[in-house]
Amino acid sequence: MRVLLVEDDTGVADAIAEALQTRGHTVSHAIRGSDALHRHRAADVILLDLNLPDMHGLDVLRKVRQVSPVPVLVLTASGDERSVVRGLRLGADDYLTKPVRLAELLARMDAVVRRAAVSAAPRDGVVRVEDVEIDLGARRVLVDGNDIGLTAKEFAVLAVLAARPGTAVSRQQLMDEVWGDAYLAVSRSLDVHLTQLRAKLDRPGLLTTIRGFGYRLGRD
């Protein structure tokens, strides 16, 4: 795949680029955030450092997300929860803490690109994740061919996640879309519906909790 590596440390960038190139990937290196904004359209995935000389990496992410759905994997030196949550809220597909381990980097790159490939809304209005079939038009969910009989609210929660399979959705966004206003919604209600939804799906790990942020439909 075509990788845009946005990293101001040339030593780190050279090591990552060499490792990726030996695995058959084409790597383009940008040191500045402004360069990344000009070149992101030619990439299949972006590896984005947060500490750049001209702007913060999260500002680059925010600007990219305004115009492109290209998968973005954030590289962070600290791995503090605040930066991770901000990155996910701004649209990052995943994150890695430096120093980066090659095997994990390759696996996560494959995962975010795979998610992006299935995240577009299907033409027939049906989302399929493993043996779960979610018919958004008919408001019906089949697991292994059997209708699991969701309530209206349970289906609404699942539909928000199914519209973005493989993508992290925040609690606030879920409550906004299901209840109309996250501030009027009762957070506990969302927890109850998610518990019931998981029980009816009976597919452990398929509906993932992202600590401090929200949820994702689909496994890593």
Side-chain angles (χ1 to χ4, degrees):
M1 65 184 77
R2 298 170 300 171
V3 181
L4 175 58
L5 174 59
V6 189
E7 168 64 66
D8 68 330
D9 186 322
T10 55
V12 171
D14 288 346
I16 293 176
E18 182 179 357
L20 293 178
Q21 287 166 349
T22 61
R23 299 299 180 95
H25 299 297
T26 301
V27 181
S28 174
H29 177 214
I31 294 176
R32 300 169 61 86
S34 55
D35 293 334
L37 294 175
H38 284 104
R39 296 160 55 186
H40 73 272
R41 295 186 187 277
D44 297 314
V45 62
I46 298 175
L47 304 181
L48 178 64
D49 183 23
L50 295 184
N51 298 311
L52 301 173
D54 58 336
M55 66 176 71
H56 196 279
L58 293 181
D59 292 325
V60 177
L61 174 61
R62 178 175 54 81
K63 291 178 182 294
V64 167
R65 274 292 165 264
Q66 290 174 352
V67 297
S68 172
V70 61
V72 178
L73 201 161
V74 167
L75 303 178
T76 172
S78 61
D80 65 282
E81 187 173 357
R82 182 179 179 184
S83 294
V84 169
V85 171
R86 284 188 65 202
L88 290 170
R89 284 180 173 163
L90 286 171
D93 295 272
D94 206 342
Y95 67 90
L96 272 175
T97 303
K98 295 180 181 178
V100 177
R101 292 176 296 182
L102 178 59
E104 184 177 3
L105 173 61
L106 290 167
R108 289 181 181 256
M109 284 171 53
D110 287 341
V112 298
V113 171
R114 184 172 62 249
R115 290 174 198 159
V118 300
S119 63
R123 292 182 181 180
D124 61 358
V126 177
V127 177
R128 297 174 180 85
V129 183
E130 297 182 5
D131 65 345
V132 177
E133 182 176 296
I134 305 157
D135 190 326
L136 300 175
R139 300 181 65 82
R140 181 179 63 184
V141 179
L142 303 179
V143 176
D144 195 20
N146 300 309
D147 191 330
I148 60 174
L150 298 184
T151 66
K153 275 289 191 289
E154 289 166 357
F155 182 86
V157 170
L158 184 59
V160 173
L161 298 169
R164 310 161 182 82
T167 301
V169 178
S170 70
R171 285 182 64 90
Q172 179 172 342
Q173 185 173 354
L174 263 173
M175 290 189 290
D176 274 340
E177 296 195 29
V178 174
W179 280 271
D181 189 331
Y183 294 101
L184 297 179
V186 178
S187 184
R188 177 60 183 158
S189 295
L190 175 59
D191 294 331
V192 170
H193 284 94
L194 282 164
T195 298
Q196 295 171 339
L197 183 55
R198 283 189 169 110
K200 290 183 178 181
L201 287 171
D202 194 23
R203 292 296 183 269
L206 192 64
L207 205 168
T208 305
T209 297
I210 301 174
R211 184 180 176 186
F213 180 71
Y215 308 91
R216 181 178 65 232
L217 179 64
R219 304 180 198 276
D220 287 337

